[in-house]
Amino acid sequence: MSNDAIPAPMTHPAASDRAGRIETRGIDVVPAAERHGRPSSLFWVWASANVNYLYFAFGGILILLGLSVWEALAITVIGNLWWIAVGWLAISGPASGTPSVTIMRAMFGIRGNRIFGGGLGVAIGLFYEIINIAVATFASLALLDLLGVALPVGTEWAVLGVVAVASFIFGVYGHATIMKLAPYFSAALAVAFVVLAVFVLQAADFAYTPVELPVGEHWAMALLGYAIVSSGPLSWGTGADYARYLPKTASKPGIIWWTALGGFIPAVLIGSLGVIAGTAIDMTDPQLTIGEIVPAWFTPVFLGIVILGSISNNVLVAYSTGLYAQGLGFKVHRATTVVVTGALATAAAAWLVFLSPGFLETMEYALELSVTVLGPLVAIYAVDIIVRRNQYDGIALNDERPGSPFWYSGGFFWPGVIAQLLGTVVAVLMANTTLYTGPIATALGGADLSALLAPVIGGGVYALLWTTTTPFKHPLLRPGAARDIQYSDARASAPIEMETLA
C-alpha cells in the first residue's frame, strides 16, 4: 500500500509552518516533529505555478520558428518530460529535511555550493522573477488601458511596484501559505484557460502549413524549440524545497509523480494551446493579437490570466530564490532574502519594461542559453541521488565548519565542480541561438545539441568521477557499505579526515 495513504504523524502543522504566519525555517533541517502533509498536496503547488501564460508563449514561439503543428506539439511533450526529473529531485527533500540548495552541498562542497548551488540558483531565480514581473506589468498596463483607466505620467512605475509586491508577499510568508493558496490559484487559472481553449480551437487553422525550410535549418529550429521548452522544467531544480516538510516515510513514487504531473499537465496543455493559437494569430506578442480570436469581453479575462499566472509562478520562484540566497553563506532570515532578491528583480524588471527596447529578444536569448547551465546542474543532482541512494543527513549538510563531512577538499567537491564546468562549456560550444552560435554547432551545420547532450555529459562525468576520486572511491564511504557514516549530531563525533582515505 502507498505511504500516501498512511496518515501523517501530525494532525496540524507546527507553528513554524502555518498558513498566514511567516515561516521560521530556511535552509536548516525540518525536524521530524514538524513534518506533515501528503505527497498529493505537491500536485497543487506545482500546478499553481505552471498554469501559466509563459507556456502559451512557448507554444507560439515553436510556430514562429517555422515548425509544423505536429512537430511543435511533439516538442512540447518531449521537452516537458523533464518534469519527471523535477519529481525525482523532490524525493531528496523528505530524506534530508532540507531544501535543494542545502542538499547540493553534497555534490559541490560547502564553498563550491555557494557558487554552483546558491550562486547559480539566485541568478536563475532572479531571471525568472524579472520575466514574471515584466510580463505581468505589461499585461496590467494593457488591461488598464482597455478598461479606459488613464494613468498620470510616471505612475506606470507604481503598477510595476504593485505587481512586484503581489509577487513576493506570499514568498515572504513561506511554505504553508503557498501550499494553502495553491489549489485556489490553480482552479481559477484552469477555468480561464479552458474558456480560452474553446475560442482558440474555434479559430484554429488545422490546415496550417509552415514555409518549408532547408533540412539543416529545419532541424536547427526543432532543436532550438526543444531547448526553449525544456528550459521550463529544467529551471525547477528545487523540488526538495516544497517536499521537505513531508514525513521521511512518505511514498517516494507519490512524491515523484505528484510533483511531475503538477508541472507536466499544465505545461503541455497550455503549451499545446499556444501552438494551435499560432496557426490563427501572430504569436510574437499574444497580449496584443489575442483579441483577433476571442470576443471583446474575454480580452480583459485573458490579460487577467497573464497577470495572475505570472504572479503565482513568481510565488514559488521567489520562495526558492530566497533559499538559494541563504545558500550563499549569509546568516540572514529567509524572509529577508526573499525581500532583498525581490527588490533586485523589481529594479531590473523596471529597467527592462520602461528603459530597454528589446525585452522580448532579451527573454528569448536568456531562455536559449539557460539550458547550457541548467541541464548539467539537474543531471548532477539526479545522479547524486542515485549514487548515494537518497541518503542525506540534513544536520551534517548544515555543518559548514572546515573538516565537516561535506567540506571535502578546501570546501570543494571536485567531481561536482568539474562535471558542472565541463557540461556547461561543452553545451555553450554546441549552442545555436539567435544571439550566439558555438563552433561545434557551426561544424554540425547549425544543429544545436546542447539541450540533449549537456545533461548526459554533466551527469555522466559526475558519476564517473564520484566513483573514482576521493572520498568515495574508498568502498567504506559508499552508501550501503558496512561502515555507513552516521552524522546524526554534528558534534557527536570527530570529523573524518578525507585525505587519509585517498
Side-chain angles (χ1 to χ4, degrees):
M1 182 175 63
S2 169
N3 286 332
D4 196 17
I6 300 175
M10 293 183 59
T11 305
H12 301 288
S16 63
D17 187 44
R18 287 201 178 196
R21 298 184 183 181
I22 295 178
E23 180 188 1
T24 60
R25 296 291 173 191
I27 61 173
D28 55 326
V29 183
V30 178
E34 296 181 20
R35 306 288 191 92
H36 57 87
R38 303 174 185 275
S40 55
S41 65
L42 296 173
F43 176 85
W44 296 111
V45 71
W46 287 105
S48 70
N50 289 287
V51 182
N52 193 297
Y53 163 78
L54 189 60
Y55 293 113
F56 187 72
F58 281 1
I61 288 173
L62 296 179
I63 294 298
L64 293 173
L65 290 175
L67 303 176
S68 72
V69 172
W70 290 112
E71 288 170 329
L73 292 174
I75 289 172
T76 298
V77 173
I78 295 170
N80 280 300
L81 289 176
W82 278 106
W83 280 107
I84 299 174
V86 179
W88 175 252
L89 302 189
I91 65 172
S92 61
S96 67
T98 64
S100 292
V101 68
T102 305
I103 298 165
M104 288 183 190
R105 290 171 174 171
M107 51 209 81
F108 296 116
I110 300 297
R111 285 177 171 168
N113 187 58
R114 291 171 185 167
I115 301 171
F116 299 100
L120 286 178
V122 169
I124 294 166
L126 286 174
F127 167 64
Y128 277 94
E129 286 181 7
I130 292 166
I131 287 179
N132 283 323
I133 293 172
V135 168
T137 299
F138 282 131
S140 297
L141 293 172
L143 179 59
L144 291 172
D145 182 64
L146 188 66
L147 297 176
V149 178
L151 294 175
V153 176
T155 55
E156 297 91 348
W157 295 76
V159 173
L160 184 142
V162 171
V163 167
V165 171
S167 295
F168 300 122
I169 187 65
F170 301 115
V172 169
Y173 276 92
H175 176 268
T177 302
I178 293 172
M179 300 295 285
K180 182 76 172 180
L181 295 175
Y184 300 103
F185 281 134
S186 303
L189 289 165
V191 169
F193 267 109
V194 167
V195 178
L196 175 63
V198 173
F199 298 126
V200 169
L201 291 173
Q202 288 175 345
D205 178 8
F206 291 103
Y208 171 83
T209 303
V211 176
E212 188 171 349
L213 299 173
V215 174
E217 185 179 352
H218 188 173
W219 279 107
M221 292 300 100
L223 289 168
L224 174 57
Y226 170 78
I228 292 173
V229 172
S230 61
S231 70
L234 283 174
S235 66
W236 290 108
T238 55
D241 296 6
Y242 311 98
R244 74 190 196 280
Y245 276 95
L246 292 175
K248 197 168 186 177
T249 56
S251 165
K252 291 184 180 64
I255 294 169
I256 293 170
W257 291 111
W258 285 120
T259 297
L261 291 173
F264 179 84
I265 291 175
V268 169
L269 292 180
I270 296 171
S272 299
L273 195 62
V275 169
I276 296 170
T279 68
I281 60 174
D282 180 2
M283 289 290 284
T284 302
D285 190 353
Q287 294 184 42
L288 295 178
T289 57
I290 195 68
E292 298 173 16
I293 60 174
V294 301
W297 66 265
F298 189 77
T299 301
V301 177
F302 177 78
L303 293 172
I305 292 174
V306 176
I307 297 166
L308 182 59
S310 299
I311 289 174
S312 64
N313 184 271
N314 238 11
V315 169
L316 262 68
V317 175
Y319 181 73
S320 288
T321 304
L323 292 171
Y324 273 124
Q326 282 191 303
L328 294 173
F330 301 115
K331 304 301 181 184
V332 291
H333 194 280
R334 179 202 56 79
T336 302
T337 59
V338 172
V339 172
V340 171
T341 54
L344 291 173
T346 301
W351 179 81
L352 277 174
V353 171
F354 299 117
L355 302 176
S356 172
F359 167 69
L360 292 175
E361 292 81 2
T362 301
M363 182 184 78
E364 186 174 337
Y365 297 156
L367 286 171
E368 292 166 0
L369 288 172
S370 65
V371 177
T372 62
V373 174
L374 297 172
L377 185 66
V378 169
I380 290 168
Y381 192 164
V383 168
D384 195 78
I385 292 174
I386 296 172
V387 296
R388 295 182 198 271
R389 301 181 185 178
N390 199 34
Q391 297 178 7
Y392 295 101
D393 189 320
I395 294 177
L397 286 164
N398 271 282
D399 187 351
E400 301 181 53
R401 298 172 300 169
S404 61
F406 297 100
W407 186 258
Y408 298 118
S409 177
F412 293 86
F413 186 40
W414 292 109
V417 172
I418 292 170
Q420 179 64 41
L421 289 175
L422 184 60
T424 299
V425 168
V426 173
V428 169
L429 295 177
M430 290 180 173
N432 180 11
T433 73
T434 50
L435 178 66
Y436 158 85
T437 302
I440 295 178
T442 301
L444 295 174
D448 181 347
L449 299 178
S450 61
L452 292 173
L453 296 184
V456 175
I457 294 170
V461 169
Y462 183 68
L464 176 65
L465 294 179
W466 197 92
T467 55
T468 57
T469 59
T470 301
F472 294 108
K473 70 179 182 181
H474 195 286
L476 295 181
L477 291 181
R478 294 177 182 169
R483 275 184 54 202
D484 278 344
I485 296 178
Q486 299 297 324
Y487 199 78
S488 58
D489 189 322
R491 298 183 180 274
S493 58
I496 294 174
E497 295 295 334
M498 295 301 182
E499 291 78 2
T500 63
L501 297 170

